[in-house]
Amino acid sequence: METVSRELSAIVATCAVARGPVETLRTANAYWEPFEAGATFRSGDWVRTGPEASTRIELRGGGRIELEERTVVMVERPAPPEGGGSVVALESGTARGLLPEDALPDGPLVLRGDNGRQVALTVEAHAGPTEFRVTRTARGMHLSVSRGRLLLSEGIHRRTLEAGNWLDVARGLEDAEHDGSPFPTSLSPGVDARIAWRPELRIPLSWKPLDGARSYQVQVARDLGFTRRIVDTQVEGSDFAFVPPEPGMFVWRVSALDEAGRPGESGFARRIFVERQRPRGLLVTPRDGHEVPVGAASEELVFAWQSTGGEPRYRLVVARDRELRQPVIVREGSPQQVVLPGLAPGEYYWGVYVAEEPPVPLFQKARRLVVRGASGDLARDALLPMDP
């Protein structure tokens, strides 16, 4: 039993998702070996992804990282008595991460840079879950934030990194005198947009303009590593019409050029799936059959779905029947997410349409949602007023 306990405590991370050729170099081995979802890693293990491969790693200390293609990292955990949270050393490539709003129980996530320099990452209070990206470059290691706000610390040095900004942390915080120039925030299409293919299809790409930017570099590729680019051009405005040559998966990103023509950090890459048939099944959350627990009926509910590309208006319908013919709530607008105040106890069904005539459903069947009352029973006669 004690041996099993030691083995479990030695695990520092677990593979949640593996796509394509992914390998690990164990501390006790002298060779790389392939792994699959469910694999575990111990302190000092290396992980690498091959071409067009990726893997998501859940850190035992909290949070997760997702390695893009051609990326190499080492995961580590300080041994007692030092202890502490997970340590990630990025050797090459790009890793994207997510940290929860709540403080990690074992300490902050730590990035190891050059010459053993270590920068601890924590989420600022009330900033919500924070998403970030770490990229190894020829000259350093860029840390950027796409959502939320990170607090960085190294010894006596402290920095705050806001969404849309980046910092080179390879040599720690003492030598990081200035934040990098902001990068453009992508606006449309939404994340992982799914768009129906047709001849002469034009997909508008848009981003938030930056003060001081002379122009923008737009890149579209067939892979997340942008090794197979099909568009690499400069534009002066904050939009670009992409004409996909055929159905498939495409990835796009934008960087800003200053008055001297120097490029800044690229914004976060977004995927576009161009499909031969009109996409269906784009609902994200709540999942089908989700039950709101007893006592949580008054809490907010988040309804989210994937983008269809462009700038359509969406119509969220929450109803009492599977066919959505008895709606109790209708919301219409352009975001891909709607937050509703608590629903009255009962059984509901929901779906989302593109708000055109006739409406186009983003689902094959409506999703079921159950809200339990104080006693755990359903109050089927509790109706909410229809939105005007």
Side-chain angles (χ1 to χ4, degrees), residues 317-321 323-329 349 383 386:
V317 178
V318 181
R320 288 293 187 180
D321 61 305
E323 291 73 32
L324 306 184
R325 294 173 180 168
Q326 303 173 33
V328 294
I329 286 184
Y349 294 88
L383 290 177
M386 179 97 168

Side-chain angles (χ1 to χ4, degrees), residues 344-358:
E347 181 182 50
Y348 301 90
Y349 294 88
W350 72 279
V352 178
Y353 301 83
V354 175
E356 57 186 42
E357 292 300 332

Side-chain angles (χ1 to χ4, degrees), residues 35-361:
F35 66 87
E36 299 177 344
T40 57
F41 307 102
R42 288 162 174 76
S43 186
D45 286 353
W46 289 85
V47 179
R48 72 180 180 187
T49 56
E52 299 184 27
S54 64
T55 182
R56 190 174 81 229
I57 297 174
E58 301 288 341
L59 303 171
R60 182 182 168 191
R64 68 170 185 255
I65 56 172
E66 182 168 344
L67 311 187
E68 297 184 0
E69 66 174 352
R70 304 179 191 273
T71 296
V72 181
V73 303
M74 182 189 71
V75 290
E76 195 175 22
R77 192 177 179 85
E82 291 87 357
S86 301
V87 178
V88 174
L90 182 66
E91 181 75 11
S92 61
T94 298
R96 290 177 287 127
L98 173 70
L99 289 176
E101 181 177 12
D102 298 332
L104 302 182
D106 297 327
L109 173 65
V110 174
L111 290 181
R112 177 172 293 161
D114 299 340
N115 301 320
R117 304 299 291 266
Q118 298 191 150
V119 176
L121 315 182
T122 55
V123 176
E124 185 170 275
H126 311 301
T130 295
E131 298 176 8
F132 63 92
R133 176 182 62 188
V134 190
T135 302
R136 266 292 182 181
T137 68
R139 296 183 298 244
M141 186 167 69
H142 289 183
L143 170 65
S144 53
V145 177
S146 63
R147 179 165 67 103
R149 186 182 299 109
L150 279 179
L151 298 179
L152 314 180
S153 61
E154 183 198 24
I156 62 173
H157 304 286
R158 302 286 188 273
R159 297 290 290 270
T160 299
L161 197 59
E162 305 273 354
N165 290 277
W166 64 275
L167 189 68
D168 190 340
V169 295
R171 292 173 294 279
L173 298 182
E174 185 177 1
D175 295 332
E177 297 181 359
H178 304 287
D179 291 358
S181 301
F183 51 82
T185 300
S186 301
L187 298 178
S188 180
V191 176
D192 287 351
R194 296 184 180 273
I195 301 172
W197 161 258
R198 67 178 185 273
E200 301 180 0
L201 171 67
R202 297 171 66 86
I203 303 176
L205 311 180
S206 64
W207 53 93
K208 188 176 181 179
L210 291 179
D211 293 337
R214 186 187 73 180
S215 59
Y216 300 91
Q217 190 78 27
V218 182
Q219 295 178 334
V220 183
R222 298 181 184 273
D223 62 307
L224 284 167
F226 285 84
T227 59
R228 294 185 292 154
R229 299 176 190 172
I230 56 177
V231 173
D232 194 350
T233 187
Q234 291 185 19
V235 299
E236 294 185 357
S238 56
D239 53 56
F240 176 79
F242 168 53
V243 180
E246 60 198 8
M249 190 272 285
F250 304 94
V251 189
W252 69 284
R253 67 184 180 186
V254 181
S255 60
L257 284 74
D258 62 17
E259 292 296 336
R262 294 171 298 198
E265 176 83 353
S266 295
F268 283 72
R270 285 190 177 184
R271 295 183 297 186
I272 301 174
F273 297 89
V274 179
E275 303 180 344
R276 293 190 180 275
Q277 297 181 347
R278 183 132 194 174
R280 300 284 291 271
L282 301 184
L283 305 184
V284 175
T285 189
R287 61 176 176 79
D288 190 23
H290 175 70
E291 294 193 12
V292 178
V294 176
S298 61
E299 296 182 2
E300 293 182 337
L301 271 172
V302 177
F303 295 81
W305 52 93
Q306 290 179 290
S307 170
T308 59
E311 299 180 0
R313 292 183 64 81
Y314 298 103
R315 183 178 301 148
L316 167 69
V317 178
V318 181
R320 288 293 187 180
D321 61 305
R322 293 179 183 273
E323 291 73 32
L324 306 184
R325 294 173 180 168
Q326 303 173 33
V328 294
I329 286 184
V330 176
R331 288 282 193 274
E332 188 169 315
S334 56
Q336 293 169 234
Q337 175 176 300
V338 170
V339 180
L340 295 181
L343 293 173
E347 181 182 50
Y348 301 90
Y349 294 88
W350 72 279
V352 178
Y353 301 83
V354 175
E356 57 186 42
E357 292 300 332
V360 178

